[in-house]
């Protein structure tokens, strides 16, 4: 997934941030429902994962076993690390 997102130049965290801020969301901090997670992966990101692949991800990132997915943990693995910005350097 990380390789595909890198090739397509897609950041996944903003997509999940948008889903979490939706007025129909549960408004849990850094968490989305399993359906929102599936929809973001397959529709908004266009990854077209199989049902079994999505189930593996849901089990991995449902850290409280409550049906909510910790999308920040997922995004930390998929998105490239942010580069530190030093405002005092000339680079």
């Amino acid at each position: 997934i990380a390789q595909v997102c890198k090739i397509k130049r897609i950041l996944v965290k903003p997509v999940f941030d948008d889903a979490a801020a939706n007025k129909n969301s549960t408004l849990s901090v850094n968490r989305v429902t399993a359906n929102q997670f599936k929809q973001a992966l397959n529709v908004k990101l266009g990854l077209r994962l199989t049902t079994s692949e999505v189930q593996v991800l849901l089990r991995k990132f449902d850290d409280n076993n409550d049906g909510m997915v910790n999308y920040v943990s997922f995004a930390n693995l998929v998105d490239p690390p942010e580069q530190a910005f030093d405002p005092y350097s000339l680079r």
Side-chain angles (χ1 to χ4, degrees):
I1 294 173
Q3 185 65 24
V4 170
C5 288
K6 182 179 178 182
I7 290 169
K8 291 183 173 183
R9 296 180 179 253
I10 300 172
L11 293 176
V12 298
K13 188 173 182 299
V15 173
F16 289 112
D17 285 338
D18 185 46
N22 186 317
K23 66 178 181 174
N24 296 323
S25 179
T26 60
L27 300 177
S28 296
V29 176
N30 297 334
R31 300 169 69 72
V32 293
T33 65
N35 286 335
Q36 287 174 315
F37 188 75
K38 291 179 212 176
Q39 182 180 13
L41 290 174
N42 290 326
V43 177
K44 294 182 180 180
L45 294 171
L47 297 177
R48 304 288 182 217
L49 301 175
T50 65
T51 304
S52 60
E53 291 170 332
V54 172
Q55 291 302 319
V56 168
L57 292 172
L58 289 174
R59 282 194 303 273
K60 169 78 175 161
F61 295 103
D62 182 4
D63 49 8
N64 291 340
N65 294 322
D66 59 357
M68 299 293 289
V69 180
N70 186 338
Y71 70 86
V72 173
S73 295
F74 176 73
N76 285 338
L77 292 176
V78 175
D79 287 343
E82 293 183 20
Q83 299 295 322
F85 175 72
D86 181 9
Y88 301 106
S89 71
L90 296 175
R91 294 184 192 194

